[in-house]
Amino acid sequence: MTILNISLPELIQAFVAQQVDKGGYGTVNEYILDLLCQEKAKAEQIESLLLEGLDSGEPLEVTDDWWEHKRSSLIQQFQSEQ
C-alpha cells in the first residue's frame, strides 16, 4: 500500500475526527479510504450508465429547437396532470 500524506485545516481535521467516531471507523485512514471507495463506485456507475445510454439506440441531434419542443411538451404534460 502506498502512503499519502495530506495537510488539512483544523476545522476539517475536527470534522474528520467526528466522522470517524460517528461512523465507527477505527482510524482516519479507514474513513478516508471508505470515502474514496464510495467516490470510485459512483464514478464507475456513472460511466456504466453513460455507456448504456450510448448503446441504447439511434443517436439524435439535440438542438435548441429540440430543447424548446421538449420543454413545451413537458410543460403541457405537467399542466394536464394538474
Side-chain angles (χ1 to χ4, degrees), residues 8-35:
L8 300 173
E10 286 183 31
L11 286 174
I12 299 298
Q13 287 178 337
F15 173 78
V16 169
Q18 288 174 344
Q19 296 307 304
V20 169
D21 292 340
K22 286 181 185 178
Y25 297 98
T27 65
V28 170
N29 288 346
E30 289 176 11
Y31 172 66
I32 299 295
L33 181 59
D34 187 46
L35 287 178

Side-chain angles (χ1 to χ4, degrees), residues 10-73:
E10 286 183 31
L11 286 174
I12 299 298
Q13 287 178 337
F15 173 78
V16 169
Q18 288 174 344
Q19 296 307 304
V20 169
D21 292 340
K22 286 181 185 178
Y25 297 98
T27 65
V28 170
N29 288 346
E30 289 176 11
Y31 172 66
I32 299 295
L33 181 59
D34 187 46
L35 287 178
L36 292 171
C37 288
Q38 289 177 41
E39 285 301 309
K40 183 177 181 289
K42 283 187 217 175
E44 289 170 351
Q45 181 183 20
I46 290 169
E47 184 174 351
S48 175
L49 291 170
L50 287 170
L51 291 172
E52 182 181 328
L54 287 172
D55 293 336
S56 68
E58 290 297 317
L60 64 109
E61 183 177 354
V62 178
T63 62
D64 289 341
D65 289 338
W66 184 91
W67 279 114
E68 183 58 34
H69 176 35
K70 186 69 168 175
R71 185 180 75 72
S72 297
S73 173

